[in-house]
Amino acid sequence: MAHFEKSNGIVDWLDQRLAIKKFMQVMMTQYWIPKKINFLWAMGVILLTMFAILFITGLLLVMYYKPDVALAFDSVNKTIMQEVEYGWLWRHMHGVAASVVFLVMYIHLLTGIYYGSYKKGREIIWISGMVLFVLFSAEAFSGYMLPWGQMSYWAAMVITNLFGGIPFIGPELVEWIRGDYAVGDATLNRFFMLHVCLLPIVVIAFVAIHFYALRFPHVNNEIAEEIDFDLEAEKYLAGKKKEAKVISFWPDFLCKDIFYVCLFMIFYFYLVCFHYDFAMDPINFEPANALKTPPHIYPEWYFLWSYEILRGFSYEVGLACFGIAQVIFFVLPFLDRSNVVAPAHKRGAFFVWFWLLVIDMIVLTIYGKLPPVGINNTIATIASVTFLALLIVVLPVITLMERKAK
Amino acid sequence: MASRRSFMGFTLGAAAAVGGVFTLVGMKKTWDPLPSVKAAGFTTVDLSPLADGELRTVEWRKKPIFILKKSSDMEQSNTDIIAGDARYTVVIGLCTHLGCIPAYHSADKEFVCACHGGKFNVSGKNMSGPPPKPLEIPPFSIDGTKLVLGEIGKEYEEIMKNVGKA
């Protein structure tokens, strides 16, 4: 048994048993943040806030939600929306947060690309972040199914059907995933399990890994300067706070993050209170009907770009390209083999590449929503080819050129 | 001593592997469709009330089944189902692209899927758009003028042979 002394208070008592002082140092007071970072670095804390909101509102909703094809639609649209006190608020907060969390995630992701934060020492941060993106996508999709409206049903139909494209085992695999010959009660219940239990646990685990991965290479900065964190931390601790290139996460840095979280909350609650419908497709207020397809099926806005890549080609090719588009960002650190860690505007060709990628993804998003007729199909194919070419061909070429120039 | 330890290691590994396989099989089976779902997989339809050129949609295994009684001016196909003296197109009404339900346009005599613009002719053959193959034919058997969906009859096997050839 270790030696314990009589404690001089509750903090000391806990410190002897849990080392909370050391823990606070590692997590907060001696976690060093570079000074030269702008508002784009606040997205991580905004995402964490959004996740907390989703978690808490989700707990309140799940108390009244019924995962049964006969009851699900009414439990959401009648019980939660009309009977439960403030049920409408939790639902709209949950729905809007699920949508804007993707907006912030895309900004977070593009910031990482722009400043080269996926490179040299920060690969695990990037990859764990991409895993989080995929997990959030699965979480969003499984949640989208639960109100059991027409769009929920047909989204489930289309997405589960995608697995039918896998050679040899496709059709059997689809039936196995659904637990029925078509999307039905078994399907709803297993998606419910994924949405409220399995996926949130895995998300939380990966959030922890994502944060942990930051501790060694530290946060990147606006000018991609390589900082000797030990040296700068020494200066800071010696009281030369002005001279040091770093500050502590708590209490110095977090106030800036919290300021941006507050700004974001204004935008968020503006949407929740006045434009909650942007995250609610009108078709989804019609109960699911297995014998009638809505005239035009499209996903929520944040999946439109990859949906458009699926539509841009013939069936098998589209499916393969869709698969590639889902995983291509994972290997970004290995497609960009240049050793230069610098913001895009210091990298010439890479800067052009970055904005072409952004524009192309916006085009894919816009056309993903439009019905696939006439000229739309041509644009879909061109934009899809451009997307794949930019990542698979152009990016490695740019980085090869950069390596030669050095 | 070392060999005894490695023997224990191998034993542990083997026991874990066997247990793991059994667990995976059990988990796979838990996700399989339930017996009650499988048992409800048969539907009987009486074909006699259909008029020439009329399309009827019935539900089988939660999927829409198109039954089209062909009129004399429609193309004949070796995938037609012959019951009595009439020819029928019997197909699963889900687009072979991503599973939306195509609508029947009787004037143009084609099935059009609104989702991605796929078109099928009266025999369920894919004519244009992204669908990679014809509308699927559900397993069936014929009992006089009655069609039993979900049961594999000799007529179904014959048609599947034709499909293989075409």
Side-chain angles (χ1 to χ4, degrees), chain A residues 25-71:
Chain A
Q25 277 181 4
V26 173
M27 299 301 287
M28 313 271 276
T29 55
Q30 291 190 24
Y31 170 38
W32 306 110
I33 304 284
K35 279 182 183 167
K36 257 198 155 3
I37 58 179
N38 57 31
F39 77 98
L40 290 166
W41 269 266
M43 298 303 146
V45 173
I46 293 179
L47 282 171
L48 196 64
T49 313
M50 282 284 103
F51 183 69
I53 289 180
L54 283 166
F55 193 90
I56 294 164
T57 54
L59 288 179
L60 295 166
L61 292 172
V62 85
M63 291 194 291
Y64 289 95
Y65 175 74
K66 291 190 172 68
D68 178 314
V69 290
L71 306 170

Side-chain angles (χ1 to χ4, degrees), chain B residues 16-84:
Chain B
V18 171
V21 168
F22 275 108
T23 311
L24 283 178
V25 170
M27 279 170 27
K28 190 258 171 199
K29 295 205 164 185
T30 299
W31 279 50
D32 276 340
L34 302 175
S36 56
V37 170
K38 284 183 183 159
F42 300 95
T43 306
T44 306
V45 191
D46 187 6
L47 295 174
S48 53
L50 258 80
D52 275 3
E54 185 193 340
L55 175 82
R56 181 156 303 179
T57 307
V58 297
E59 194 182 332
W60 168 74
R61 294 187 180 174
K62 300 200 182 78
K63 293 173 188 169
I65 304 295
F66 294 156
I67 303 173
L68 177 72
K69 186 174 185 181
K70 284 193 168 174
S71 52
S72 51
D73 59 331
M74 288 176 181
E75 69 137 43
Q76 298 196 346
S77 158
N78 58 5
T79 56
D80 288 346
I81 291 167
I82 300 157

Side-chain angles (χ1 to χ4, degrees), chain A residues 60-66 71-96 147 272-273 276-277 279-280 284-285:
Chain A
L60 295 166
L61 292 172
V62 85
M63 291 194 291
Y64 289 95
Y65 175 74
K66 291 190 172 68
L71 306 170
F73 187 82
D74 280 347
S75 77
V76 174
N77 290 300
K78 203 166 141 242
T79 312
I80 290 175
M81 289 302 280
Q82 294 171 27
E83 290 190 81
V84 179
E85 289 227 50
Y86 291 103
W88 56 272
L89 179 64
W90 310 131
R91 189 202 180 181
H92 286 154
M93 281 178 71
H94 199 77
V96 172
V272 170
C273 297
Y276 54 83
D277 54 324
M280 307 261 159
N284 223 19
F285 288 92

